Amino acid sequence: MIRVVVVDDSAFMRRAITQMLATDPAVHVVATGRNGREAIELVTQLHPDVLTLDIEMPEMDGLTALSRIMRDAPTNVLMLSSLTTEGSRAALRALSLGAADVLAKDTSQVSLSITNIRDDLLARIHAVGNRRRPALLSGSREPIHVGKAHSPASPDCPVLRPSQFDVICIGASTGGPPVLESILTALPASLNLPVVVAQHMPALFTASLAERLGSMCKLPVHHVTHRMPLQRSAIYIAPGGKHTHIRKIGLARWELIVSDDPVTAIYRPSVDALLASAAIAMNGRALGVVLTGMGNDGFEGGSLLHARGGMLLGQNEETCVVYGMPKALTQNALVAASLPPHRIAVALSSLAAKYRTGFTGTDAGASIRSR
């Protein structure tokens, strides 16, 4: 039985969430609260498996409460954030403070759409409710510093050659944003490859994620738009709500295609779609990285990438919020290594080593050229 505390300042939301969770016999709402202060009290008294927590509340907001809960009584927290630009920024802040996941709610049409999120809410409750206590995962949220003394060579990590790949593709879901932040901010400006990221989030959230990463990373960060040229020494964040594919448009030239294909995958952006397109467009010269997340998105695309001669790295179980996506690849022997985030950062950074290629120029915005 997963024991849940629901905290929201809206009586309608508390009732709606409680009713949705009551449809699952494996989930039991043990208490409800109206603000951050009550959230702290209920968590301290009841020690629930999961706390659902609104962000905007009177007396004490959700972010303040979350910070205190993670400091004094670490709990698996699922944040409910408004589907607005400010709500998306607050959601990313919540994830950096230790929330396990965020579920967006459209406050403008909440009475019409709230029941539509039931299946998604229950899936996240199960995924988050069965994870380790957050205190045991704190290491995956620490900043990563990659220096010259680090080397990717180790018994658990293959040696990567800078001339081996044309692109790095990263997929993530539940628990992904803080891990992405720690890995991507560690990448050096001298990395001569494009990095394309598919993180399961709504479009407003991925736009805020790109904005946040852009203020922190050494490489320029772009929120992908349709037919955006793929350039080296840059990071691309796939927009939420749609799928992003890589398409070859000439000799060693590629672009990013944003599609609304209703047939392709249930997750948007789909990691499967990204990895499969990279496998075909780069003829296997792609490095795929699959991070924490529930489900198995990335398995089909990763299988194709592996079959085409590409390489896959997976986040290890100990540091995942939810060990679903990387597990699907690992248990089928498709990953070259299962690594914690800091080892992934070191491995990717090793691809920035100087080497002779057909690249000309050193500007970060130059298009990928033939090797």
Side-chain angles (χ1 to χ4, degrees):
M1 179 70 68
I2 299 175
R3 301 169 63 254
V4 182
V5 167
V6 174
V7 176
D8 197 295
D9 65 321
S10 164
F12 168 79
M13 285 296 300
R14 293 196 301 274
R15 182 169 60 254
I17 293 171
T18 299
Q19 290 175 346
M20 283 188 284
L21 297 183
T23 63
D24 189 330
V27 178
H28 177 53
V29 176
V30 294
T32 62
R34 298 168 297 177
N35 54 53
R37 179 180 56 78
E38 292 186 4
I40 295 173
E41 294 175 355
L42 290 170
V43 164
T44 302
Q45 295 171 5
L46 301 174
H47 305 289
D49 298 307
V50 181
L51 166 67
T52 71
L53 185 62
D54 190 19
I55 291 181
E56 297 180 8
M57 296 181 292
E59 292 192 45
M60 181 184 291
D61 64 85
L63 293 180
T64 301
L66 174 65
S67 180
R68 296 187 184 181
I69 288 170
M70 300 312 292
R71 181 193 65 193
D72 300 330
T75 303
N76 295 317
V77 179
L78 175 60
M79 302 298 294
L80 295 178
S81 178
S82 59
L83 194 58
T84 63
T85 299
E86 287 305 312
S88 64
R89 290 171 180 164
L92 292 175
R93 175 62 179 157
L95 290 167
S96 71
L97 289 172
D101 203 358
V102 175
L103 184 63
K105 59 179 182 179
D106 187 350
T107 54
S108 66
Q109 300 183 32
V110 67
S111 61
L112 299 176
S113 63
I114 186 61
T115 55
N116 294 334
I117 70 172
R118 183 185 65 183
D119 291 345
D120 192 13
L121 174 62
L122 284 170
R124 296 179 194 229
I125 289 289
H126 277 275
V128 171
N130 291 314
R131 69 182 286 230
R132 297 178 179 86
R133 301 297 290 177
L136 299 179
L137 296 174
S138 58
S140 65
R141 301 181 187 276
E142 295 174 357
I144 296 172
H145 304 286
V146 178
K148 293 182 179 179
H150 292 83
S151 169
S154 72
D156 64 345
C157 183
V159 175
L160 306 181
R161 302 186 309 277
S163 60
Q164 192 174 356
F165 307 108
D166 287 324
V167 70
I168 299 169
C169 295
I170 303 178
S173 185
T174 307
V179 179
L180 282 171
E181 186 176 302
S182 65
I183 292 173
L184 296 177
T185 56
L187 299 182
S190 57
L191 181 67
N192 286 298
L193 290 170
V195 181
V196 187
V197 177
Q199 163 70 52
H200 297 166
M201 274 184 161
L204 275 174
F205 284 34
T206 54
S208 291
L209 177 63
E211 178 185 33
R212 178 178 172 87
L213 289 170
S215 69
M216 303 169 70
C217 291
K218 304 174 186 69
L219 295 165
V221 180
H222 307 286
H223 195 228
V224 174
T225 57
H226 185 54
R227 300 203 65 179
M228 177 177 280
L230 187 63
Q231 300 175 326
R232 63 186 175 94
S233 300
I235 297 169
Y236 297 87
I237 306 299
K242 298 179 183 294
H243 303 305
T244 293
H245 308 258
I246 300 173
R247 182 170 71 183
K248 189 170 185 177
I249 56 175
L251 182 61
R253 293 177 59 238
W254 297 269
E255 66 181 3
L256 295 167
I257 300 301
V258 178
S259 83
D260 197 22
D261 183 357
V263 178
T264 307
I266 60 172
Y267 299 107
R268 297 170 180 267
S270 164
V271 182
D272 275 328
L274 175 61
L275 293 181
S277 69
I280 296 170
M282 270 67 182
N283 196 27
R285 288 175 51 83
L287 174 61
V289 181
V290 179
L291 305 176
T292 174
M294 62 183 180
N296 64 355
D297 187 24
F299 175 71
E300 291 186 5
S303 298
L304 179 60
L305 188 148
H306 182 269
R308 289 284 184 116
M311 182 181 291
L312 293 164
L313 300 177
Q315 185 176 347
N316 67 340
E317 181 176 5
E318 293 76 14
T319 60
C320 284
V321 170
V322 179
Y323 189 54
M325 287 165 48
K327 179 182 179 181
L329 292 166
T330 302
Q331 66 184 6
N332 284 282
L334 294 176
V335 299
S338 293
L339 306 169
H342 76 277
R343 294 293 303 164
I344 294 174
V346 171
L348 300 188
S349 296
S350 73
L351 294 172
K354 294 181 180 179
Y355 63 103
R356 292 183 179 276
T357 72
F359 280 122
T360 59
T362 58
D363 58 301
S367 296
I368 297 176
R369 298 176 175 88
S370 175
R371 288 185 169 82

